[in-house]
Amino acid sequence: MGHFPDMPVMPGMLLVEAIARMGRVLASERAGDGVWKMAFLGDVRFFRPVCPGDQVVLDVEITGAGEDGIVLEGSGTVNDERALHVGRMVLVPRED
């Protein structure tokens, strides 16, 4: 049934995962191909529900990079209205 049986919404973690996937593309472009995993996630805020039919526009930027990983910030909007914000996400290379 989900959290809101009478109002279907896109789960927040899927929105965060979309930002992470965009971040992995940016990390690969900056630091070379490889597999990146999320090592830290902080300051995540949701401002409005994302419902069926909504188009989410994501904006992700690298705010820091070092030997240990890539630091990202991202947000998503629906019809120019803020839906979510990720204040800090750290991606690190995955070592098998």
Side-chain angles (χ1 to χ4, degrees):
M1 296 285 295
H3 293 301
F4 307 102
D6 297 329
M7 184 180 143
V9 297
M10 183 168 187
M13 257 337 279
L14 291 180
L15 294 166
V16 171
E17 175 63 22
I19 288 175
R21 287 176 184 250
M22 286 185 66
R24 288 180 186 114
V25 171
L26 293 174
S28 292
E29 288 175 354
R30 180 174 227 173
D33 288 336
V35 179
W36 296 85
K37 67 178 181 179
M38 189 185 320
F40 178 82
L41 179 63
D43 192 23
V44 178
R45 297 172 191 243
F46 299 96
F47 300 97
R48 72 176 300 278
V50 176
C51 300
D54 286 345
Q55 180 179 2
V56 182
V57 177
L58 299 175
D59 179 43
V60 180
E61 71 177 77
I62 294 175
T63 58
E67 291 181 18
D68 294 337
I70 303 285
V71 181
L72 308 167
E73 182 175 331
S75 62
T77 58
V78 175
N79 297 326
D80 294 324
E81 183 181 348
R82 183 184 261 187
L84 79 146
H85 179 76
V86 174
R88 184 174 170 89
M89 178 183 291
V90 178
L91 301 179
V92 296
R94 189 171 112 194
E95 298 175 16
D96 293 327

